[in-house]
Amino acid sequence: MGKNKLKKFAEMETFHNVFQCGIHDITEDNPIAALAGQWNEKVFHNTNPIVLELGCGRGEYTVGLARFYPDKNFIGVDIKGARMWAGAKEAELGGITNAAFLRTNIETIAHFFAPNEVNEIWITFPDPQMKKATKRLTSTYFMARYQQFMQPNGLIHLKTDSPFLYTYTAEMLRINGYTVLANSQDLYLSATAVLQPKAVLQRSGLEEATLLQTHYEQQWLSRGMTIKYLCWELAPRETFEEPTIEIEKDDYRSYGRNYVPKTDN
C-alpha cells in the first residue's frame, strides 16, 4: 500500500464526520453499528431527513447535495477509504455539518440503520456488475436490504453511464411493479421533457440529478456518452422477481482513475 494511502487512512481517523466499520467488526458492542436509529441524534443533532449516497467514491454528491440542501442530512457510503477521504476532508474543512461518511461494505448496510430511518438513496455511477446480478446496487438483492431501513415509498435515484445497468434496472422496476417517477435515457437532453404530472415531478429528483456532475460523469460526457437517470419509490414488498431478459453488455471501458479530460482552456 502506498504511503499516500496510508497517510489518508491515518488522517481519516481524525475526522469527526467519518465512521468506519469492517464486515468482521459488526457486533452489538461496535459503536458504529450502534448508531442505527441514532444518526440524527448523535451525529447530526437535528431531526432532518437522512439521504444516503451508496458507492459514494469521492463523495461529490454527498458534499454537493449537503451544500444545496442544508435541511437534509447526507451520508456517503463506500468501502474505498482513499477515495472517500477527498469528500470527507472537503466537508470537514468546509464546516459542512450535514454531511458524514460511513466506510463499510454496502452488502452490510442494513446493520447500520434502523427501520424507517432513511428517506432517500442516491446511487451514482456504480459498477454495472454485468457478470453477477446480486452485486448490482439496483438488484432485488439490494432492494430487499434497502427496504429494511427506508421509509415506505422512500425514493431511490440512479445516475449511470451504463446502458446495461439502465436497461436492467428499468426492467427490474417494471416486473416488480415499482412506481417510477422519472426515467431518462439522456438526462441533459430530456430532463425538462419527462412526461410526468407536476406533483410527481416535484419528487422526481430531476433538479438534483442535473445540479451536480461527478468526476467520472464528466469523463463520460467528454466522450460524448449520454447519462441515464431513474427515480422510483421503494414500496415495501415480500417477494421479488429478477429480470430474465437478455441485455447487451456494455462495449466500452472506463478511463483510469487519474485521467483528467482535456479542455479548450
Side-chain angles (χ1 to χ4, degrees):
M1 183 180 294
K3 291 182 179 179
N4 193 39
K5 279 191 175 181
L6 290 174
K7 181 179 179 181
K8 288 179 178 178
F9 291 152
E11 190 172 8
M12 283 217 303
E13 293 287 347
T14 70
F15 292 164
H16 296 92
N17 60 3
V18 174
F19 304 86
Q20 306 185 69
C21 185
I23 193 170
H24 300 296
D25 299 323
I26 302 174
T27 65
E28 292 182 359
D29 299 327
N30 187 288
I32 309 304
L35 284 173
Q38 302 183 71
W39 284 88
N40 275 341
E41 177 185 354
K42 293 192 174 181
V43 176
F44 298 111
H45 309 293
N46 59 46
T47 58
N48 294 335
I50 292 177
V51 182
L52 306 184
E53 182 193 4
L54 301 183
C56 69
R58 302 181 181 193
E60 288 119 316
Y61 257 78
T62 301
V63 176
L65 289 178
R67 282 197 174 104
F68 281 120
Y69 300 99
D71 56 345
K72 293 183 179 182
N73 300 321
F74 295 86
I75 303 173
V77 184
D78 208 315
I79 193 60
K80 301 289 187 179
R83 298 185 202 174
M84 179 183 287
W85 168 87
K89 184 164 186 176
E90 182 180 352
E92 184 91 347
L93 293 178
I96 304 172
T97 58
N98 63 325
F101 292 85
L102 172 62
R103 185 185 175 204
T104 195
N105 299 82
I106 295 178
E107 289 83 355
T108 67
I109 190 69
H111 290 281
F112 299 94
F113 299 95
N116 303 319
E117 189 170 15
V118 173
N119 291 69
E120 295 182 49
I121 288 176
W122 280 86
I123 304 171
T124 52
F125 301 93
D127 187 327
Q129 299 288 353
M130 291 183 284
K131 293 183 179 180
K132 192 171 183 180
T134 55
K135 289 186 174 292
R136 296 169 201 154
L137 295 184
T138 59
S139 67
T140 59
Y141 174 88
F142 279 101
M143 294 302 108
R145 279 151 181 76
Y146 301 156
Q147 72 178 26
Q148 294 178 42
F149 56 81
M150 284 194 72
Q151 292 190 358
N153 300 320
L155 301 185
I156 298 185
H157 310 264
L158 170 70
K159 281 184 79 174
T160 181
D161 59 281
S162 167
F164 176 90
L165 184 62
Y166 167 81
T167 302
Y168 164 83
T169 305
E171 177 65 7
M172 185 280 294
L173 298 174
R174 185 190 70 80
I175 64 176
N176 286 282
Y178 285 112
T179 298
V180 177
L181 302 185
N183 181 349
S184 175
Q185 296 188 53
D186 190 345
L187 176 63
Y188 297 104
L189 176 65
S190 61
T192 59
V194 176
L195 298 178
Q196 293 280 11
K198 183 176 181 180
V200 172
L201 281 175
Q202 289 175 345
R203 298 189 69 220
S204 69
L206 281 167
E207 180 180 1
E208 293 94 328
T210 56
L211 278 174
L212 300 167
Q213 292 182 3
T214 69
H215 173 75
Y216 294 111
E217 181 175 1
Q218 292 172 31
Q219 293 181 6
W220 307 134
L221 291 170
S222 75
R223 297 170 76 174
M225 299 178 68
T226 59
I227 304 302
K228 292 85 173 145
Y229 175 70
L230 283 162
C231 174
W232 65 96
E233 293 181 347
L234 190 69
R237 56 194 5 89
E238 294 183 1
T239 60
F240 300 87
E241 182 179 351
E242 265 293 309
T244 57
I245 62 171
E246 290 292 326
I247 305 174
E248 184 177 354
K249 300 289 178 61
D250 297 337
D251 60 357
Y252 63 92
R253 300 184 66 181
S254 169
Y255 287 128
R257 293 179 185 175
N258 296 322
Y259 173 83
V260 177
K262 294 181 180 179
T263 66
D264 295 330
N265 297 332

